[in-house]
Amino acid sequence: MVLTGNQIDLFEASMPRLKAIAYRLLGSAIDAEDAVQDTFLRWQSADVDRIEVPEAWLTKVLTNLCLNQLTSARARRETYVGQWLPEPLLAGDPMLGPAETVEQRESVSFAVLALMERLSPNERVVYVLREAFGYPHRRIAEILDITEASGQQILHRAKKHIAEGRTRTEIDEAAARRIVDEFLTAATSGRTEPLVRLLTADAVAIGDGGGKVPARTRPFEGAVAVAKFMRSLFTPNQAARNLLGGTAEIHVSYANGLPALVVTVDGRVIGVMCLEITADGIAAFRNQANPDKLERATRQWAATDHGEPALRIN
């Protein structure tokens, strides 16, 4: 079927919302783009004139495509090398979607995206559509072909699973920047004690290298272990120089709504480390170093003005 200009415009107007939904469901901007493109192909072949509520139709098609992806992704991640973390989205990326409420901001954070890996595909869909996009229970039930009562029960279970592993991290930007600056000062001091004081007792550090770059297969756990790792990470040595292949510049920025350190070499993003900051200190470092998951970040980085780096490692 050949779409009219209005029908193409209607789909294009829906694309930002569809991409934001798909990213939250899949944790991958690459897969989200593919899911939205497949949705367009189905829109193109449908009898569009007979679709009464295009937004609902598009959301249902996209959700079903993502459900299929989530089912196969679970099998793929069983053989994934090391720890799996989402693909990071830098501040200003339109795929981040709405960020007016705490729930919307949290739904795209590395912390919650990682926790959503514990959910069943249906739980993830219900949680994202309800918490991040405010879909009514009736609409969610229609999308998943379930009853409203079932949808509400699924949401209850999903929120319980998320709450069990989550610490709310709402902190104002100035305070977050101050803590990140203190962390960089401590990390480059060559001493462990200043770092320990900035961390929560149960702090963790997780890295995703995807088998492409060196990354520990198990998280560092506990303030002392994490502090020692961070001290070594920010201490220049020949092995690090060989691995980096040049001077690394570290910028303080935001990714997925959280304070982040963006590490670049010759303009290429080689790492995005999100810091989970609580009232008690830094609770988690989640570092995405898999180059396959940093292509979008590199393109966005090249297109924005990010000022002078906070730190250079030669």
Side-chain angles (χ1 to χ4, degrees):
M1 177 180 175
V2 178
L3 297 176
T4 66
N6 286 341
Q7 290 164 342
I8 293 174
D9 289 345
L10 193 154
F11 183 86
E12 289 181 347
S14 299
M15 278 180 64
R17 177 181 54 83
L18 295 174
K19 288 181 178 181
I21 291 172
Y23 173 73
R24 283 166 168 81
L25 290 178
L26 302 173
S28 164
I30 297 171
D31 291 342
E33 294 275 10
D34 288 345
V36 172
Q37 179 61 30
D38 287 345
T39 302
F40 177 72
L41 294 176
R42 283 158 176 75
W43 175 252
Q44 200 172 29
S45 61
D47 188 352
V48 175
D49 290 332
R50 300 187 66 180
I51 297 174
E52 294 182 4
V53 186
E55 179 189 338
W57 188 93
L58 291 169
T59 304
K60 182 164 186 170
V61 170
L62 175 81
T63 300
N64 285 329
L65 288 167
C66 289
L67 282 170
N68 291 336
Q69 280 260 37
L70 286 170
T71 301
S72 61
R74 284 180 171 244
R76 291 199 308 272
R77 285 171 196 165
E78 288 178 2
T79 59
Y80 192 81
V81 179
Q83 300 290 311
W84 181 92
L85 288 174
E87 181 180 348
L89 298 181
L90 301 182
D93 192 314
M95 199 176 280
L96 288 167
E100 285 77 29
T101 68
V102 173
E103 290 76 16
Q104 288 173 338
R105 291 189 291 273
E106 285 190 338
S107 71
V108 80
S109 73
F110 254 34
V112 171
L113 286 173
L115 286 170
M116 280 200 278
E117 289 295 297
R118 303 177 182 182
L119 305 182
S120 71
N122 271 8
E123 286 174 342
R124 191 160 182 161
V125 167
V126 173
Y127 182 84
V128 166
L129 293 181
R130 180 64 182 172
E131 294 296 291
F133 294 90
Y135 275 66
H137 288 293
R138 176 183 56 79
R139 180 71 60 80
I140 295 171
E142 291 170 353
I143 289 170
L144 291 176
D145 292 322
I146 58 177
T147 65
E148 283 190 54
S150 294
Q152 290 172 338
Q153 291 172 355
I154 290 172
L155 178 63
H156 177 74
R157 288 199 304 270
K159 291 175 72 172
K160 185 174 183 292
H161 291 318
I162 295 292
E164 286 171 353
R166 180 187 64 187
T167 302
R168 286 190 179 261
T169 58
E170 283 286 288
I171 184 168
D172 69 77
E173 194 166 326
R177 178 59 195 250
R178 185 174 64 252
I179 292 170
V180 173
D181 288 342
E182 289 175 1
F183 164 74
L184 287 174
T185 299
T188 55
S189 70
R191 298 168 55 226
T192 303
E193 295 79 8
L195 279 166
V196 171
R197 289 196 292 270
L198 290 173
L199 308 179
T200 62
D202 58 352
V204 296
I206 304 169
D208 179 350
K212 305 295 179 69
V213 299
R216 183 179 166 94
T217 57
R218 294 178 61 83
F220 289 92
E221 298 180 340
V224 174
V226 171
K228 288 180 178 179
F229 170 63
M230 289 296 159
R231 184 193 64 193
S232 67
L233 199 63
F234 286 85
T235 301
N237 58 70
Q238 192 57 49
R241 293 186 187 96
N242 293 340
L243 178 63
L244 294 171
T247 299
E249 296 186 339
I250 300 176
H251 293 259
V252 179
S253 185
Y254 269 76
N256 292 72
L258 294 176
L261 300 177
V262 179
V263 186
T264 66
V265 173
D266 297 329
R268 176 173 53 89
V269 176
I270 65 166
V272 176
M273 179 184 288
C274 288
L275 282 67
E276 184 178 346
I277 301 174
T278 72
D280 299 321
I282 304 173
F285 300 87
R286 295 181 176 87
N287 183 38
Q288 182 54 263
N290 184 343
D292 293 343
K293 298 182 182 181
L294 295 173
E295 294 178 1
R296 184 184 181 92
T298 294
R299 290 196 301 272
Q300 185 180 356
W301 192 255
T304 57
D305 179 15
H306 31 74
E308 287 297 308
L311 181 67
R312 286 186 174 91
I313 299 180
N314 297 312

